[in-house]
Amino acid sequence: MKNKIKSYTKHPGSFVLLLLVLVAAVLTVGVLVFLVGYILIRGIPYLKPSLFAWTYNSDNVSMLPAMINTLFMTVLALLLSVPFGVGAAIYLVEYAKKGKIVRLIVFTTETLSGIPSIIYGLFGMLFFVTALKWGYSMMAGAATLAIMVLPVIMRPTEEALLC
């Protein structure tokens, strides 16, 4: 480490940049430690066993049902999106003839990656809840989430198959 610092002292610009990077790193870690400490100090007194009860009502505001529903929706969305994403990537790389259609699909997938999540939520609300009449269901949310993560699964799989 000393040899590395000595090499930076030969060039004043390099030494200044080294100091700036170290100051930025120390400042970033300091802010992170402060935030985590602040949250823990302020939050730990409010952690009670009732926060993890199986039932949720106005007297007991339990987090456990929401945590289980989030986990279930994520698993359901992945069960829907992974086969389609991997299958589409395999088809595009191995079977589809290179041309305008493949370029259009790749362009559409790239475009879907840049759409804000609120737009996906509005689409899911209009299409799955209203048009298909699924109502406010876990399946409507999981289908919306599956469409949202489909480009995230499809593009890296396609790139991995190209290598």
Side-chain angles (χ1 to χ4, degrees), residues 89-105:
I90 291 171
Y91 173 76
L92 287 175
V93 171
E94 300 293 334
Y95 300 110
K97 293 182 181 180
K98 306 301 180 215
K100 288 185 179 183
I101 299 295
V102 171
R103 284 196 308 259
L104 178 68
I105 292 171

Side-chain angles (χ1 to χ4, degrees), residues 15-116:
F15 186 69
V16 169
L17 288 177
L18 174 67
L19 288 177
L20 286 174
V21 168
L22 289 175
V23 167
V26 168
L27 185 66
T28 303
V29 170
V31 169
L32 177 67
V33 168
F34 171 76
L35 286 174
V36 170
Y38 180 80
I39 290 169
L40 288 176
I41 290 169
R42 299 282 301 230
I44 286 179
Y46 295 102
L47 285 178
K48 298 180 174 124
S50 63
L51 281 175
F52 303 101
W54 284 101
T55 57
Y56 177 88
N57 55 37
S58 58
D59 296 330
N60 177 23
V61 287
S62 174
M63 294 186 308
L64 191 62
M67 291 166 48
I68 291 171
N69 284 337
T70 300
L71 182 68
F72 183 66
M73 186 176 292
T74 303
V75 168
L76 192 58
L78 288 175
L79 286 174
L80 291 172
S81 64
V82 167
F84 284 114
V86 172
I90 291 171
Y91 173 76
L92 287 175
V93 171
E94 300 293 334
Y95 300 110
K97 293 182 181 180
K98 306 301 180 215
K100 288 185 179 183
I101 299 295
V102 171
R103 284 196 308 259
L104 178 68
I105 292 171
V106 170
F107 175 74
T108 306
T109 305
E110 292 292 332
T111 304
L112 286 174
S113 296
I115 294 176

